[in-house]
Amino acid sequence: MKNIGRYFKNKCFKSAITAFLGLAVALPSMAQETPNLDKINERGTLRVGMSTFVPWAMRNTQGELIGFEIDVAKRLAADSGWKVEFVPTAWDGIIPALLAQKFDVIIGGMSVTPERSKSVLFSTPYSHSGVQVAANKELAAGFSEFSDFDSRRVKIAARRGAFTVQVARETFPKAKILQFDDDAQAFQEVLNGNAHAVIASSPKPEHEAVKNADKLFIPFSERLSKGNEAFAVRLGEDDKKAFFNKWIQARTDDGWLEERYEYWFSTLDWQNQVATGQ
């Protein structure tokens, strides 16, 4: 009986120790559940790293930052009860600056890539830029399907060495791809009536179609390829990622992100606000 009593006593003692240790492990993890968000809340300001690039972020005639990313960051901060501080940063140094804690998050049209994911933690995508086609209204009259452009009779202009050349060849394997040193030359070829269409990264096709509405049109409602732009935070900052993901989902569901994207990327209604030289 003594052995039995000792057995139960030891077992209960071990169970109590196990429970205590489990609680000791759980408490710190609970306390650390949102340490990175707590820092932003204590400061009351979200510091955003970004680079100027039309129409993502640019200066207006008063020298103030405007653009799609600026709208996104301001709305995120307002919804979260924070102020926002923009930290303009050269693109080639923006990830190192994030890792050096110069700011809390990159909101700068950064595409998700496997290589970047080794250094930063990405949120779910909040925008999807990509590649689009602008076509000559006369030469491509009535063209509205990919198959319409996939013909040996069709000429498609693109910038030499760009990703768009690969997209053009994969999407329109039968078409003749004309390559030029820059986008301006490629678009001019279509405006001059020497090519049926030009393929380029958005929002260039959309904007040129607005500027040259008498000669160009966008034949497809969907882009040929879609990018995945996301917020970037430091590795291990899962609480910030989860918080941003919820915000992105809410603004996606109510259509706000799409509305802002279309305003900046599919129209030029904002052009008179922009300082010259951008």
Side-chain angles (χ1 to χ4, degrees):
M1 291 293 291
K2 288 182 179 179
N3 290 337
I4 294 174
R6 191 179 298 116
Y7 168 80
F8 280 109
K9 185 183 292 184
N10 289 340
K11 187 172 182 182
C12 290
F13 178 75
K14 289 179 180 178
S15 297
I17 289 295
T18 300
F20 176 79
L21 290 175
L23 183 61
V25 171
L27 286 175
S29 70
M30 289 171 64
Q32 296 172 8
E33 201 169 281
T34 60
N36 301 293
L37 283 176
D38 290 342
K39 292 177 183 177
I40 300 173
N41 285 325
E42 289 168 9
R43 192 190 314 127
T45 300
L46 178 69
R47 299 176 305 179
V48 177
M50 38 67 66
S51 289
T52 52
F53 185 71
V54 179
W56 303 94
M58 51 207 160
R59 298 281 179 183
N60 66 12
T61 52
Q62 286 76 45
E64 300 166 334
L65 286 166
I66 61 170
F68 175 64
E69 303 293 6
I70 307 306
D71 283 359
V72 170
K74 284 183 175 179
R75 178 66 187 269
L76 168 63
D79 287 350
S80 307
W82 303 323
K83 295 179 181 179
V84 62
E85 176 189 342
F86 293 105
V87 185
T89 307
W91 185 252
D92 58 0
I94 200 165
I95 288 180
L98 173 69
L99 302 184
Q101 302 191 31
K102 300 291 185 182
F103 36 79
D104 304 304
V105 58
I106 296 172
I107 303 180
M110 179 169 282
S111 298
V112 178
T113 68
E115 188 62 29
R116 287 173 178 159
S117 295
K118 296 175 183 177
S119 303
V120 300
L121 188 64
F122 282 110
S123 68
T124 55
Y126 66 102
S127 69
H128 304 276
S129 62
V131 173
Q132 185 57 286
V133 166
N136 182 287
K137 280 190 170 181
E138 185 175 342
L139 294 181
F143 287 21
S144 60
E145 304 289 340
F146 285 4
S147 58
D148 295 329
F149 291 89
D150 190 22
S151 167
R152 291 182 177 84
R153 299 190 304 273
V154 171
K155 296 178 181 179
I156 298 176
R159 179 165 61 86
R160 183 178 288 106
F163 171 66
T164 49
V165 173
Q166 178 184 334
V167 175
R169 285 174 173 163
E170 291 175 353
T171 310
F172 313 113
K174 295 178 182 178
K176 183 176 181 179
I177 310 301
L178 308 177
Q179 298 187 50
F180 299 87
D181 291 335
D182 57 48
D183 281 337
Q185 290 176 318
F187 276 89
Q188 194 59 51
E189 194 73 359
V190 180
L191 288 169
N192 292 343
N194 297 324
H196 293 72
V198 56
I199 182 171
S201 297
S202 293
K204 184 73 171 176
E206 293 89 339
H207 289 172
E208 289 298 320
V210 173
K211 291 178 184 177
N212 302 280
D214 58 327
K215 293 184 177 181
L216 300 179
F217 74 103
I218 304 296
F220 312 126
S221 58
E222 296 291 328
R223 294 179 176 89
L224 273 66
S225 72
K226 282 189 175 183
N228 290 304
E229 293 82 41
F231 299 174
V233 297
R234 290 174 283 275
L235 294 175
E237 294 184 331
D238 296 272
D239 57 334
K240 274 159 64 173
K241 174 185 175 179
F243 182 84
F244 293 149
N245 284 350
K246 288 181 180 178
W247 182 86
I248 290 167
Q249 188 61 57
R251 298 291 74 80
T252 298
D253 290 345
D254 66 16
W256 184 85
L257 280 170
E258 182 179 3
E259 183 274 323
R260 286 289 82 196
Y261 187 90
E262 290 304 313
Y263 172 78
W264 291 105
F265 285 80
S266 297
T267 80
L268 287 174
D269 295 346
W270 46 266
Q271 195 173 36
N272 61 353
Q273 304 175 47
V274 182
T276 57
Q278 294 191 70

